[in-house]
C-alpha cells in the first residue's frame, strides 16, 4: 500500500502511514523498509498544531505510537514521510 500510494505524492508532499497495531513488524519496520526502498522520501516529524504533545508519543523520528493504557484510545502506529524529490 505504501509503495502504491507513494507514486501519487508530489515533490514536497506528505505521505502518512497509520496502522491499528502496536507491533514493530507492522509499524516502524514497515516504515524503515519503505524508506530504504524509496530514497525520494524522508521521515518527517513536523506535525504542526495539535491538542497533545507528539513528543510523548514518539518512537523515533517521524513515527508515533499510541497505547490504550496510556492514551485512552486504541493502539496505533503512525509514520509521516515527505517526498524530497
Amino acid at each position: 500500500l505504501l509503495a502504491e500510494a507513494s507514486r501519487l505524492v508530489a515533490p514536497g508532499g506528505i505521505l502518512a502511514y497509520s496502522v491499528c497495531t502496536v507491533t514493530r513488524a507492522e509499524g516502524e519496520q514497515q516504515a524503515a523498509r519503505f524508506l530504504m526502498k524509496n530514497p525520494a522520501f524522508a521521515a518527517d516529524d513536523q506535525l504542526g498544531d495539535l491538542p497533545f504533545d507528539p513528543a510523548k508519543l514518539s518512537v523515533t523520528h517521524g513515527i508515533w505510537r499510541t497505547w490504550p493504557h496510556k492514551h485512552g484510545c486504541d493502539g496505533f502506529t503512525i509514520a509521516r514521510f515527505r517526498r524530497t524529490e
Side-chain angles (χ1 to χ4, degrees):
L1 290 174
L2 271 172
E4 289 301 314
S6 71
R7 296 173 35 180
L8 303 173
V9 180
I14 299 297
L15 174 62
Y17 172 67
S18 178
V19 290
C20 55
T21 181
V22 294
T23 65
R24 294 181 62 205
E26 292 184 66
E28 58 262 38
Q29 290 174 1
Q30 285 289 347
R33 264 192 297 281
F34 172 77
L35 289 173
M36 280 184 11
K37 293 179 179 181
N38 295 277
F41 285 84
D44 185 69
D45 63 0
Q46 302 301 311
L47 291 179
D49 295 327
L50 296 171
F52 59 87
D53 181 4
K56 292 181 179 179
L57 305 177
S58 183
V59 174
T60 187
H61 180 71
I63 299 177
W64 301 270
R65 181 174 292 126
T66 61
W67 295 98
H69 66 284
K70 289 183 181 180
H71 305 108
C73 62
D74 290 340
F76 279 88
T77 303
I78 304 114
R80 178 180 158 120
F81 310 103
R82 181 177 300 275
R83 185 172 196 135
T84 58
E85 298 176 5

